[in-house]
Amino acid sequence: SSLVGPGDESKLRRTIINLTRNAIDALVNERTKNAAVEITADIDAASNEAVMTVHDNGPGIPPEILNRVFEPFVTRKKANGTGLGLAIVKQYMAAHGGSVIADNDGGAMFTLRLPLS
């Protein structure tokens, strides 16, 4: 059973897959030594939300695009990248009453927050 409403599981799975693939691509493209992607999930009882993070130890998000990273067609110019993955992540999260933020913390970190049903 899902923590969030019915029918949302495939979009939430796609969200985690998009973020994880982006992290792996960044680590491979930068040839990061001891590359790692950490995915965490927890419950924030105070806000009644599920909180998930996808965090890598790569170069992080370039400062010049950090505040625009969820806009369509904004990309690090990776091979075969369309710049739509993070826009879709934001759209999926908003459709579920949630949010996503991007930050640099020893690499790129994306924090997803979803209200519990």
Side-chain angles (χ1 to χ4, degrees), residues 20-113:
T20 304
R21 282 187 178 155
N22 282 355
I24 292 168
D25 287 348
L27 295 171
V28 169
N29 289 341
E30 296 294 327
R31 295 183 175 92
T32 302
K33 292 196 186 307
N34 301 314
V37 177
E38 179 181 51
I39 301 169
T40 62
D42 204 355
I43 302 295
D44 181 345
S47 64
N48 198 38
E49 293 176 312
V51 180
M52 293 163 277
T53 63
V54 178
H55 187 195
D56 67 58
N57 65 343
I61 303 161
E64 63 273 14
I65 66 167
L66 182 59
N67 65 343
R68 300 182 305 115
V69 76
F70 295 107
E71 294 175 13
F73 310 113
V74 172
T75 180
R76 293 186 60 155
K77 309 217 180 351
K78 68 179 183 179
N80 303 317
T82 63
L84 292 175
L86 292 178
I88 291 169
V89 165
K90 183 172 182 159
Q91 179 184 11
Y92 284 174
M93 294 304 292
H96 296 101
S99 64
V100 58
I101 58 169
D103 203 357
N104 285 316
D105 182 17
M109 183 168 72
F110 291 86
T111 303
L112 309 164
R113 300 184 75 88

